[in-house]
Amino acid sequence: MTDKTTQPRVLILDTTLRDGEQSPGATMTHDEKLEIAGLLDEMGVDIIEAGFPIASEGDFAAVADIARNSRNSTICGLARANIADIDRCWDAVKHARSPRIHTFIGTSPLHRAIPNLTMDEMAERIHATVTHARNLCDNVQWSPMDATRTEHDYLCRVVEIAIKAGATTINIPDTVGYTYPMESAKLIRMLLERVPGADSIIFATHCHNDLGMATANSLAAVEAGARQIECTINGLGERAGNTALEEVVMALRVRNDILPYRTGIDTTKIMHLSRRVSTVSGFAVQPNKAIVGKNAFLHESGIHQDGVLKNVETFEIMRPEDIGLYAKNIAMGKHSGRAALRSKLRELGFELADNQLYDVFVRFKALADRKKEVYDDDLIALVADQAANAENDTIQLKSLRVVCGTAGRAEADMVLTIDGADHTTDATGDGPVDAAFNCVKDLWKHKARLQLYQVHAVTEGTDAQATVSVRLEEDGRIVTGQAADTDTIVASVKAYINALNRLVVRRAKTGPGDDVKMVNYRDSV
Ligand code: KIV
Ligand code: ZN
């Protein structure tokens, strides 16, 4: 048996709240960010990259509050290579028990051309900004963005400058998911060999998944000497996403025989975090996603089922319990009480305050009346729905009636409570969802465009709850709404309204059209 305590430690930096949240439509509310940060901290993530403080007042407030509430994790904020960004970042992270400033600049020829800096000018900029960050904070991370497409000689030169200026972690981003495992390892080895002072800092690997190699590239970098992996829950992130935390952590655990490195992650928390991130970001996890997909531990074929029944190791390389996934049984019946519900929710990873538990209990009773069997997944959807659709929302659904079928257009009539007052209308449409959405548009006028409408059945059976995701876009602002109900049309309308309520919050935060002006991290100075 291997003694893991003597194995080299690989730090996990989670950037779900920064790089992950950058996915169009993945915007999370302030409270959701705080909740996710709390769960990451509890799971044992070493560093939480909580946001990009200069990007908006909302980002700043979220990073500052996450820093204030942090317990064990280091809290990191992102800053471009300029003094204003770094000062703003420090003002947000300084409240943490253990703060970190992460500053970066694009060093590849393509990225150098944007601010139009010569190699020498960029080198000077790196020296000045890392020095400034280090004067504020003992823990400074520096990244040469697009490192995998930067000339090796220049990369060595700027990494050396950053180390001399005081950077304690050097992150090597594969910004566009361009590298492949052998090359990823070679790059880290080259830096360790050629850069003076490289042995005094930690190298990090930050991969994107454009060619589906983010996990492999991250692990290859670790084998070559990187000791920090940057990743997100569910691989959330722009385009094809970032390295998935659950994949690298479980790979290091399952293949510890050939990857003898340890992390501080409590893997039994993975499933709960995956579900929460999926809900609050509005990004559903594909069923065949490694580790956390719905099918990851399902065995359909007879041969597989037979093998698993005789010995689970025939077709399973890890146990569902390792990631916090427990056997699905009938969770609760309509006679179950509040204490039983609290204990079941605890088992599923939810710690609710008394008033939240009361709300969920009322909804649970209503669901148990409509649905024969209430499964774990039903309860998870219920809690998510309760959290997403708050009592103080500007727009609320009071009632809905729909008539549809083969005889002509669908008809809907609806009452919405908007800012406390009831408003009634009716509308027709191409099908019941269209008719109901037309009622919403009539009662709460807006010009947001529907970008995505997705329905998932939570469990099997015709009485199953449906979870619906709706993504809207208005003047460059993208918001995603979610809701669950046994009635698909009701769930659809609630998800639409949830997205509109998020739009109200976004408009208030940024002012009309301000998102378009919002700072973009791609302009790295
Ligand atoms: O992908 C990237 O290059 C980044 C940097 C800001 C580290 O996210
Ligand atoms: Zn990135």
Side-chain angles (χ1 to χ4, degrees):
M1 185 89 178
T2 12
D3 176 12
K4 284 206 184 172
T5 55
T6 58
Q7 292 183 345
R9 176 86 147 74
V10 171
L11 301 174
I12 298 294
L13 179 147
D14 181 279
T15 183
T16 304
L17 299 174
R18 199 278 297 169
D19 225 355
E21 211 226 1
Q22 241 150 262
S23 313
T27 318
M28 303 174 203
T29 66
H30 185 89
D31 289 352
E32 287 165 350
K33 287 183 186 177
L34 245 71
E35 182 206 339
I36 298 298
L39 294 171
L40 292 168
D41 196 320
E42 203 178 295
M43 179 165 74
V45 161
D46 299 285
I47 306 113
I48 298 173
E49 186 159 61
F52 187 11
I54 203 149
S56 68
E57 289 298 328
D59 256 56
F60 179 86
V63 178
D65 279 351
I66 289 170
R68 282 190 196 95
N69 290 325
S70 59
R71 293 181 301 261
N72 303 306
S73 308
T74 293
I75 305 302
C76 168
L78 186 69
R80 292 168 302 180
N82 68 64
I83 303 300
D85 268 46
I86 293 169
D87 287 347
R88 189 82 175 137
C89 178
W90 174 241
D91 280 343
V93 296
K94 69 182 176 194
H95 306 286
R97 192 190 48 84
S98 165
R100 174 182 289 190
I101 296 174
H102 175 191
T103 178
F104 75 101
I105 195 164
T107 51
S108 65
L110 280 166
H111 283 269
R112 290 199 303 268
I114 299 168
N116 201 14
L117 291 179
T118 64
M119 283 179 163
D120 288 343
E121 284 165 346
M122 183 165 281
E124 270 173 40
R125 172 77 69 111
I126 294 163
H127 181 264
T129 48
V130 176
T131 305
H132 182 71
R134 188 54 206 264
N135 284 336
L136 297 170
C137 182
D138 286 347
N139 190 338
V140 173
Q141 171 167 327
W142 180 73
S143 297
M145 185 164 73
D146 207 12
T148 52
R149 294 193 298 170
T150 300
E151 305 90 324
H152 285 189
D153 285 348
Y154 190 59
L155 187 63
C156 288
R157 178 179 164 198
V158 288
V159 167
E160 182 180 349
I161 290 171
I163 294 174
K164 287 213 173 103
T168 43
T169 300
I170 301 287
N171 176 37
I172 303 299
D174 182 27
T175 306
V176 289
Y178 178 73
T179 196
Y180 85 114
M182 271 146 80
E183 189 183 49
S184 169
K186 233 163 116 186
L187 190 60
I188 298 290
R189 244 177 241 125
M190 188 271 298
L191 290 166
L192 278 164
E193 274 161 25
R194 285 184 50 184
V195 177
D199 54 353
S200 65
I201 53 93
I202 287 183
F203 275 105
T205 173
H206 175 113
C207 300
H208 284 263
N209 206 26
D210 300 67
L211 292 173
M213 292 192 282
T215 296
N217 289 335
S218 303
L219 295 172
V222 168
E223 280 207 277
R227 289 293 172 266
Q228 177 178 299
I229 300 178
E230 308 210 351
C231 45
T232 59
I233 301 289
N234 299 337
L236 188 69
E238 263 182 295
R239 309 186 309 277
N242 288 56
T243 301
L245 179 145
E246 62 278 9
E247 293 177 15
V248 283
V249 167
M250 289 313 286
L252 288 174
R253 184 181 156 134
V254 173
R255 295 312 313 273
N256 198 254
D257 54 333
I258 54 162
L259 292 163
Y261 309 96
R262 67 197 163 91
T263 71
I265 299 295
D266 174 357
T267 62
T268 64
K269 308 268 189 228
I270 285 178
M271 204 57 224
H272 181 59
L273 251 155
S274 164
R275 286 172 177 144
R276 290 302 295 142
V277 167
S278 167
T279 301
V280 303
S281 66
F283 277 61
V285 175
Q286 75 196 56
N288 57 335
K289 164 82 182 62
I291 320 288
V292 291
K294 228 182 162 90
N295 296 353
F297 292 92
L298 275 189
H299 301 276
E300 282 286 347
S301 96
I303 298 173
H304 284 212
Q305 283 179 352
D306 188 49
V308 169
L309 286 177
K310 287 182 179 135
N311 177 0
V312 287
E313 282 179 24
T314 44
F315 287 103
E316 279 185 5
I317 55 169
M318 56 199 149
R319 294 170 309 160
E321 306 89 90
D322 297 341
I323 60 155
L325 187 62
Y326 301 98
K328 267 193 208 120
N329 36 35
I330 296 169
M332 308 274 293
K334 65 184 193 182
H335 302 297
S336 309
R338 216 177 306 175
L341 179 67
R342 186 192 284 282
S343 122
K344 185 74 201 173
L345 290 174
R346 243 184 218 145
E347 203 181 287
L348 294 171
F350 293 100
E351 201 56 64
L352 300 187
D354 285 347
N355 59 336
Q356 290 170 318
L357 180 75
Y358 177 78
D359 288 349
V360 173
F361 186 66
V362 172
R363 285 170 180 238
F364 158 70
K365 284 285 179 189
L367 181 65
D369 274 341
R370 276 184 287 157
K371 198 170 178 301
K372 281 196 284 295
E373 289 156 333
V374 180
Y375 294 96
D376 290 356
D377 284 346
D378 286 317
L379 290 176
I380 292 165
L382 209 74
V383 179
D385 188 65
Q386 188 255 351
N389 299 290
E391 250 172 38
N392 53 0
D393 282 346
T394 308
I395 314 163
Q396 288 173 7
L397 176 66
K398 186 162 184 189
S399 71
L400 168 67
R401 206 180 57 85
V402 180
V403 180
C404 64
T406 50
R409 281 167 72 76
E411 295 164 15
D413 51 76
M414 178 181 288
V415 182
L416 289 187
T417 309
I418 302 174
D419 287 324
D422 287 353
H423 301 266
T424 309
T425 195
D426 53 63
T428 60
D430 294 328
V433 175
D434 191 44
F437 281 16
N438 285 340
C439 286
V440 178
K441 281 181 212 155
D442 185 40
L443 292 175
W444 201 77
K445 303 267 188 282
H446 60 276
K447 53 184 174 66
R449 278 186 325 107
L450 183 68
Q451 278 197 336
L452 173 106
Y453 167 71
Q454 232 169 29
V455 183
H456 295 278
V458 175
T459 54
E460 293 86 29
T462 48
D463 65 348
Q465 285 193 96
T467 53
V468 178
S469 302
V470 166
R471 191 189 303 155
L472 301 176
E473 186 269 336
E474 181 199 74
D475 294 336
R477 300 182 189 97
I478 299 174
V479 286
T480 306
Q482 291 230 335
D485 202 279
T486 47
D487 184 320
T488 310
I489 314 301
V490 172
S492 303
V493 171
K494 279 165 59 185
Y496 189 17
I497 292 175
N498 181 234
L500 291 175
N501 281 316
R502 282 172 188 261
L503 192 61
V504 173
V505 175
R506 285 289 296 278
R507 281 180 184 172
K509 226 190 305 191
T510 51
D514 267 5
D515 272 23
V516 183
K517 287 182 256 148
M518 241 176 65
V519 205
N520 188 336
Y521 88 99
R522 279 183 217 84
D523 313 327
S524 61
V525 286

